[in-house]
Amino acid sequence: MSNNHLSWDEYFMSVANLSSLRSKDPKTKVGACIVNERNHIVGVGYNGFPVGVSDKEFPWERDGDFLDTKYPYVVHAEQNAILNTHAGAYGCRIYTTNFPCHECAKYIIQAGIKEVIYMRENGADENSKAASKRMFEAAGVTVRKMDTVEVVVKRQEGLQL
């Protein structure tokens, strides 16, 4: 038996990483992958604008007046993964490249997801992280950090990531 294969955690986090590459956000690329108890993927998502909202007409800025930043418009990766599920997320686990913000934590809990596996804690402020952790603990959602998994994508000549 060969030991040079990916573990389930590495595989699903790689899918989350790969999904993050679909994001058009120039600074923050986040991906998520929801998996059921049979290790079947039931949803994936990445951070981006809602369907029909042009990424060329809406801002990707982080600073400035609220309506001139990305914050009121972007749907987070975890939210998109939940919305994209084809079999429901109840009892599932979610792999996400970044620790979920407090808004995503609410969606994760409401969807019935029982475990959150993440790689990085960047992206959310300390109060948001604390609120997420508090809600996850109160709702009985298991949270664990895993080692970084990198995905290398080589594209054909002339195409850029």
Side-chain angles (χ1 to χ4, degrees):
M1 175 110 179
S2 173
N3 284 338
N4 63 351
H5 67 282
L6 295 174
S7 69
W8 285 119
D9 280 349
E10 291 167 329
Y11 174 69
F12 295 126
M13 190 59 78
S14 294
V15 171
N17 258 324
L18 187 61
S19 297
S20 76
L21 298 178
R22 286 282 308 141
S23 175
K24 294 181 183 174
D25 189 323
K27 302 234 187 234
T28 308
K29 296 187 180 300
V30 182
C33 177
I34 299 174
V35 180
N36 69 16
E37 70 282 347
R38 296 180 63 207
N39 289 323
H40 293 176
I41 295 172
V42 298
V44 294
Y46 55 88
N47 57 314
F49 294 134
V51 174
V53 175
S54 172
D55 56 12
K56 293 180 178 138
E57 295 176 26
F58 281 76
W60 284 110
E61 300 303 319
R62 296 170 128 185
D63 300 313
D65 292 334
F66 184 66
L67 294 178
D68 294 329
T69 68
K70 65 182 180 177
Y71 299 112
Y73 310 111
V74 169
V75 180
H76 289 188
E78 301 90 334
Q79 295 167 350
N80 268 324
I82 291 166
L83 292 167
N84 290 333
T85 58
H86 58 81
Y90 188 84
C92 292
R93 61 193 188 274
I94 188 168
Y95 291 81
T96 183
T97 56
N98 290 14
F99 186 80
C101 73
H102 66 282
E103 290 297 328
C104 289
K106 292 184 258 185
Y107 278 76
I108 289 166
I109 293 165
Q110 286 297 94
I113 292 171
K114 297 299 179 197
E115 185 175 18
V116 174
I117 302 98
Y118 70 98
M119 280 192 318
R120 295 181 293 270
E121 289 202 24
N122 62 335
D125 68 30
E126 292 305 313
N127 287 328
S128 180
K129 288 179 204 173
S132 295
K133 290 176 182 179
R134 184 176 180 186
M135 286 187 284
F136 287 146
E137 184 177 340
V141 175
T142 303
V143 178
R144 65 184 165 92
K145 184 176 183 189
M146 68 175 280
D147 292 334
T148 299
V149 175
E150 289 187 33
V151 174
V152 177
V153 177
K154 294 184 180 182
R155 299 186 77 177
Q156 295 175 346
E157 192 175 319
L159 300 176
Q160 296 178 1
L161 278 180

